[in-house]
Amino acid sequence: AEPKRVLAWGNSLGGLVALRLIEDYSRSFDGAIALCASGAGSPKTQDRFLDFGLAYAVVFGWPDSAWGPVENPRSGLNFANDVNPLVNWPKSDGSNRGGWEFIRLVNGLASESFWQTDPMNGRTGFTLQMIFATWFRALTQDWAAGPVAQNLDHKYSLTPDEKAYLAGLGVAAEDLLAKMNARTNIEASPIARDYIDRFGAVHGYLQKPVLTMHTKLDTLIDPRHESAYRQSVEIWSRQNKLLQAYVQAVGHNAFTTKQLLAALAAMESWLDTGTKPGASAFPADLGFDSGFVPKPWPY
């Protein structure tokens, strides 16, 4: 039979693809569902992974000879063979926990998603962040033919409470922040930046319904990406085409089958009736949190 409608559906990087498809080829789709998508777009996502790498560098050092400089990880970098053996991973005795807590806090990452193991892939949040701050950034640079990330508009900071907490762990936060802010001169290659902007940026001009769904404690793509995407949509005053739902869970794409079916049912109802679904479409007994509002994108 002829299909009733066509939806773009993707998760993670596929979620970003779904957002670009519905923005660029709206006549080919009736709607889109994007799960744990990097809704801030590739340029901003790469910038955040640079932030993570820079924070690691000022705390533990960055082995340029093995990984290439922090602003330009070397081509062909292999995480298992080149990165993993040299990382100063959290120690079981907690002796370097303060350094990792600084990295977490200066990047605005939730404690639960940072320290816990992601049930979808068996890795801790800090491991996933380190993978993407090194190997994935190097891989993206291979595609783009140059450094893709920059931090020219970044100002690294912590709250007084966070500084006091870190001091209790033996961390001189002010000194580390000063070292990071002294490096806010990292600029991407214009050609490489143009590449990821053309193929990985989002614009927010929606002509068809879009439903995004995110875990509140995503270990890799934290829910501030949803704030960034909503801001892009609001620039065009197209928020009537955007519906965002959140699930109380730790993990990247850690959705249950019932939650995925609820998202599909919500989109079907939206397309059938022309009315954007309300909170009742995402019930708490299925693990949804309709009152959750993610923090704003930091830059």
Side-chain angles (χ1 to χ4, degrees):
E2 288 294 319
K4 182 179 179 181
R5 54 176 57 106
V6 178
L7 301 178
W9 175 300
N11 64 286
S12 193
L13 180 58
L16 177 59
V17 172
L19 295 178
R20 277 297 299 263
L21 286 173
I22 199 67
E23 289 184 357
D24 294 352
Y25 305 101
S26 61
R27 289 184 295 178
S28 298
F29 301 94
D30 296 288
I33 299 175
L35 310 173
C36 286
S38 48
S42 289
K44 291 180 179 178
T45 301
Q46 292 294 331
D47 294 349
R48 293 300 287 146
F49 290 138
L50 169 62
D51 291 343
F52 192 93
L54 182 59
Y56 179 89
V58 302
V59 173
F60 296 117
W62 186 274
D64 290 21
S65 59
W67 301 351
V70 66
E71 67 272 19
N72 184 18
R74 68 172 177 82
S75 178
L77 188 65
N78 180 279
F79 185 81
N81 297 330
D82 304 324
V83 179
N84 184 51
L86 299 179
V87 175
N88 193 344
W89 293 114
K91 301 185 185 303
S92 58
D93 62 4
S95 57
N96 65 350
R97 185 179 178 89
W100 282 98
E101 278 289 84
F102 172 84
I103 296 170
R104 176 183 73 81
L105 289 169
V106 78
N107 281 279
L109 302 173
S111 179
E112 299 94 324
S113 58
F114 188 79
W115 290 106
Q116 291 189 34
T117 299
D118 191 313
M120 306 302 290
N121 55 54
R123 296 181 183 271
T124 57
F126 60 80
T127 303
L128 291 171
Q129 295 290 326
M130 197 66 192
I131 289 173
F132 275 69
T134 54
W135 165 78
F136 185 71
R137 199 151 50 91
L139 181 63
T140 305
Q141 291 181 172
D142 286 345
W143 297 336
V148 295
Q150 57 191 29
N151 66 353
L152 301 177
D153 62 341
H154 294 195
K155 173 67 175 177
Y156 303 110
S157 63
L158 294 168
T159 67
D161 286 346
E162 289 170 339
K163 293 175 184 177
Y165 164 69
L166 289 170
L169 296 176
V171 175
E174 289 285 5
D175 292 344
L176 295 176
L177 288 172
K179 291 179 181 179
M180 290 188 71
N181 284 310
R183 292 294 315 276
T184 54
N185 57 353
I186 299 173
E187 186 171 8
S189 158
I191 294 175
R193 190 72 171 188
D194 177 70
Y195 177 90
I196 62 169
D197 186 67
R198 283 187 292 123
F199 294 109
V202 292
H203 309 102
Y205 186 76
L206 302 181
Q207 301 182 67
K208 299 289 181 65
V210 171
L211 167 61
T212 66
M213 191 161 74
H214 221 112
T215 49
K216 290 170 57 178
L217 296 169
D218 193 325
T219 53
L220 181 61
I221 302 298
D222 74 84
R224 289 176 296 179
H225 280 265
E226 298 293 339
S227 297
Y229 190 64
R230 171 167 284 278
Q231 186 176 35
S232 298
V233 172
E234 289 175 345
I235 289 173
W236 296 98
S237 298
R238 310 298 290 183
Q239 52 266 39
N240 64 315
K241 298 294 185 183
L242 178 64
L243 177 60
Q244 295 174 299
Y246 300 95
V247 169
Q248 179 64 51
V250 174
H252 185 52
N253 297 303
F255 302 112
T256 67
T257 301
K258 290 183 178 180
Q259 289 164 352
L260 297 175
L261 291 175
L264 181 59
M267 177 59 74
E268 289 282 302
S269 171
W270 193 356
L271 294 173
D272 286 341
T273 65
T275 301
K276 184 192 295 189
S280 61
F282 306 99
D285 60 0
L286 289 184
F288 289 99
D289 184 348
S290 297
F292 178 70
V293 178
K295 295 179 179 179
W297 189 259
Y299 306 110

